[in-house]
Amino acid sequence: MIETIQWIDNRVVMIDQTRLPVEEKYVTCRTYEEVAAAIRDMTIRGAPAIGVAAAMGVALGMLHASEAGLDAQFAAICDTLAKTRPTAVNLFWALERMKRLYDSLRGQPLATIRRRLIEEALRVREEDIEICRTIGRNGAVLIPDHATVLTHCNAGALATAGYGTALGVIRAAVEAGKQVDVFADETRPFLQGARLTVWELQQDGIPTTLITDNMAGHFLKSGRIGCVVVGADRIAANGDVANKIGTYSVAVLAKENGVPFFVAAPVSTLDLSLASGDAIPIEERAPAEVTHVFGQQVAPAGATAANPAFDVTPARYISAIITENGVARAPYAESLARLANRSAMVS
Ligand code: MRU
């Protein structure tokens, strides 16, 4: 099993996702600032995984906090972590969860506060693995036997505490005895599909074909793709989904060609405070990620490049949203509100 992020000897240890698949290197964060830097530079990435990292970052920060001005230190830690990446709501969900606990512990000895925050961060991690397994079971029934499934980016074990959301659905279908082949979009510019999804699925022995992003339409039209499954970074109340840049194009092409398009995500990815996807903040990353591919220049010096890291797929392109609490279908305003208030489905 891939260990995306762990709490070891009061340190946060994560596999360096900027080095995969060339090198399996682990990074040790000793301070919350190091955790924040690891989220920002994408040493760890994927919405649920950065939520776990944020929770552990808070626990780590408070481990080194001093007795005087504890509230101000707590606020500064949360603020630093909140400013790392804006789109995945799981990060803010995790910070809010840690804050609620901290508020409930006011007046307790510092040693107790530290212990409880560490326990909570570990719980966020453990729960995430369980949630992914439940998402997998809930979604596996939607994957036909002998299907070829297209996925975009990496919504796998590396993007979560383990097992994955979109890849969790694929894994669960395979565990249920289905024959599943995967087509993985390479996912320019950061290549999460080529580097991470293919690496993960290779380890599981799930047959995977890597394609460049601009091949997706061709294969969707060819009739070879049975369905699309992707993850999500934030889902608005009306079912609009923010996910890795390029997801929207895949969804439109899927609908045009009559291929079901599924989104798999935990309930912590829902942001019902936003009426539609128009309000989801889209992270803009450095143009150098587009003009260069891992240090190799691919555009003329001085080229202007845009680099939105996410796009928003309108709900009308989405056949179903698979969560741990069940599967939502249109009209999403009602189905998502219902699922948000339900507890995890035991299938
Ligand atoms: O920029 P990233 O790599 O953090 O983006 C990741 C994605 O867009 C994933 O599809 C999403 O976070 C879901 S992960 C289970």
Side-chain angles (χ1 to χ4, degrees), residues 41 232 315:
D41 71 18

Side-chain angles (χ1 to χ4, degrees), residues 17 39 42 44-50 85 87-88 90 128 132 135 151-161 164-167 187 190-192 195-196 230-234 242-245 247 264-266 269 283 285 289 309-311:
Q17 300 194 32
I39 297 172
M42 292 172 67
I44 188 159
R45 35 64 51 199
I50 64 177
R85 298 192 72 193
T87 304
N90 309 62
D128 187 58
C132 285
I135 290 172
T151 191
H152 188 75
C153 193
N154 172 269
L158 290 164
T160 61
T165 55
L167 297 194
T187 319
F190 213 68
L191 302 177
Q192 290 95 329
R195 298 188 303 105
L196 309 177
V230 298
D233 288 85
R234 200 185 286 230
N243 190 49
K244 179 53 53 194
I245 191 77
T247 303
T269 304
E283 176 183 10
R285 293 189 64 85
E289 287 179 0
F310 301 95
D311 59 26

Side-chain angles (χ1 to χ4, degrees), residues 234-254:
R234 200 185 286 230
I235 303 174
N238 69 344
D240 290 353
V241 167
N243 190 49
K244 179 53 53 194
I245 191 77
T247 303
Y248 170 48
S249 322
V250 175
V252 173
L253 288 161

Side-chain angles (χ1 to χ4, degrees), residues 10 22 107 131 155 173 190-191 215 229 247 256 265 276 279 286 315 322 335 341:
N10 287 336
V22 179
I131 285 168
F190 213 68
L191 302 177
M215 295 175 190
V229 188
T247 303
E256 168 69 17
S276 83
I322 306 155
S335 57
N341 295 314

Side-chain angles (χ1 to χ4, degrees), residues 81-152:
L81 290 161
K83 285 188 175 133
T84 51
R85 298 192 72 193
T87 304
V89 76
N90 309 62
L91 178 101
F92 306 98
W93 168 88
L95 291 176
E96 202 44 52
R97 178 165 164 169
M98 298 302 276
K99 185 172 181 312
R100 268 199 312 275
L101 176 65
Y102 176 73
D103 287 344
S104 77
L105 294 171
R106 275 223 176 70
Q108 303 259 354
L110 182 51
T112 307
I113 294 175
R114 285 176 173 155
R115 179 177 53 77
R116 293 286 303 277
L117 289 172
I118 293 169
E119 284 168 1
E120 189 72 358
L122 294 180
R123 212 170 291 124
V124 171
R125 178 181 178 277
E126 292 313 311
E127 284 175 9
D128 187 58
I129 300 171
E130 269 320 297
I131 285 168
C132 285
R133 287 194 176 273
T134 311
I135 290 172
R137 281 195 297 275
N138 292 347
V141 291
L142 300 172
I143 309 291
D145 196 8
H146 298 285
T148 295
V149 179
L150 174 66
T151 191
H152 188 75

Side-chain angles (χ1 to χ4, degrees), residues 52-100:
V52 176
M56 288 190 178
V58 170
L60 191 58
M62 291 304 278
L63 199 58
H64 302 292
S66 45
E67 198 92 46
L70 206 56
D71 284 359
Q73 292 175 82
F74 185 85
I77 292 164
C78 290
D79 196 46
T80 301
L81 290 161
K83 285 188 175 133
T84 51
R85 298 192 72 193
T87 304
V89 76
N90 309 62
L91 178 101
F92 306 98
W93 168 88
L95 291 176
E96 202 44 52
R97 178 165 164 169
M98 298 302 276
K99 185 172 181 312
R100 268 199 312 275

